Amino acid sequence: MGLTCNGPRRLARLAMLALLAGGTPIAHLALTKAACAEPARPAVRSSAAARDKITLPRARPTQDAETGDDADAPALPEGFRELARGSGEPQIPGLTIVYLHPLGSPADTNNWRNIIVHQTEGPAGSAKSMALAQAQNPTKRGVMLWVETDGTVYWATAETAITTHGDGANRNDNKYIDNSKTYRNVIKTNSIGVEFVGNYPDVAKPATRAQRQAWLMLVRFLQERYGIPTENIYAHNWIDFKDNRYCEGCELATLARKLAFQPGKRASGE
């Protein structure tokens, strides 16, 4: 290990050692001072591999542009209410719906009074296949509408078909909402199910921005078509005891309720 300069005390000790060894203290002091006066050598630069091993403060993660902030509610197009009550395959500007089953007259549909928002662990790209399976067997466990991660909506079943979704509105603990109005009341026979795919393999992954954008138009389409008030939009977790790893449908149902959209009265006055 080489000598280092530590000020006057170090110099005094070196001079004493030189005197005891029979040398000239002044000469040794001169040499020592000269050595201490030399500029320090620059530190050897570390290699890239060594630098990579240095632990730096972890940067704050940037917000995912895909999930981002709440999607802005798209403005309703002209003639929206008439379009929402049409038959066949009505297309709303700003919303892409693939109809696996054309719509009839709203007057001939089931008495839909609620909307339940679901999320499935199906991976991105699975909405179409799931909707096709639902169309082939309408009453199987599933829903009427499936929403892909790009915002495309697949309308899988006839408006008169009752799909098997929900668990019978078994939540009665008032954890999220007042369940006195939902317990055993918001069930498959009176509720439209809308399923959002894409939270695989992380169930807590939120819906994409495209899904939220589509949802804010779709939910008003459903409300207008079937006369469903805002307060009758529910997240699956709000009415059923579900997976405790995340709150299924809660973000989407909350976004829909924030719109405070109320459907217009039908010609019959309902």
Side-chain angles (χ1 to χ4, degrees), residues 5-173:
C5 300
N6 294 317
R9 290 185 179 178
R10 181 64 173 169
L11 291 173
R13 285 198 298 270
L14 289 172
M16 181 61 71
L17 289 173
L19 182 60
L20 292 174
T24 305
I26 297 175
H28 280 273
L29 281 173
L31 290 172
T32 306
K33 286 182 179 180
C36 289
E38 290 181 5
R41 293 182 180 179
V44 179
R45 299 185 66 180
S46 60
S47 65
R51 289 196 301 272
D52 290 342
K53 293 180 181 179
I54 299 175
T55 303
L56 298 175
R58 187 180 284 271
R60 175 177 288 184
T62 56
Q63 191 170 40
D64 187 351
E66 185 66 20
T67 54
D69 296 327
D70 289 351
D72 296 326
L76 295 177
E78 185 177 352
F80 170 78
R81 297 188 188 277
E82 291 72 23
L83 283 170
R85 296 172 185 171
S87 57
E89 299 184 1
Q91 290 294 337
I92 306 298
L95 180 65
T96 301
I97 303 180
V98 177
Y99 291 93
L100 302 181
H101 199 293
L103 306 183
S105 168
D108 297 331
T109 66
N110 191 45
N111 184 26
W112 303 119
R113 300 198 301 271
N114 311 292
I115 300 171
I116 303 177
V117 188
H118 301 268
Q119 289 175 271
T120 180
E121 294 181 44
S126 62
K128 182 178 180 180
S129 61
M130 291 182 173
L132 286 169
Q134 192 75 54
Q136 294 173 0
N137 186 6
T139 60
K140 71 185 289 290
R141 188 168 182 85
V143 295
M144 180 187 289
L145 298 111
W146 301 78
V147 185
E148 187 50 75
T149 52
D150 66 359
T152 302
V153 178
Y154 292 90
W155 199 300
T157 66
E159 298 171 282
T160 53
I162 297 175
T163 61
T164 303
H165 68 110
D167 297 317
N170 58 27
R171 183 179 284 279
N172 58 356
D173 59 355

Side-chain angles (χ1 to χ4, degrees), residues 158-229:
E159 298 171 282
T160 53
I162 297 175
T163 61
T164 303
H165 68 110
D167 297 317
N170 58 27
R171 183 179 284 279
N172 58 356
D173 59 355
N174 301 323
K175 180 176 180 179
Y176 299 103
I177 59 173
D178 178 6
N179 291 125
S180 65
K181 299 177 181 179
T182 67
Y183 184 64
R184 303 304 187 196
N185 288 322
V186 181
I187 52 180
K188 65 181 183 180
T189 55
N190 58 27
S191 303
I192 295 172
V194 183
E195 189 92 54
F196 290 79
V197 306
N199 64 349
Y200 173 85
D202 178 10
V203 296
K205 181 180 179 181
T208 66
R209 182 175 179 82
Q211 284 178 317
R212 295 200 305 276
Q213 201 79 28
W215 166 240
L216 293 178
M217 183 65 79
L218 175 63
V219 69
R220 289 179 286 179
F221 177 93
L222 298 175
Q223 287 182 260
E224 184 63 37
R225 183 168 182 82
Y226 304 111
I228 299 174

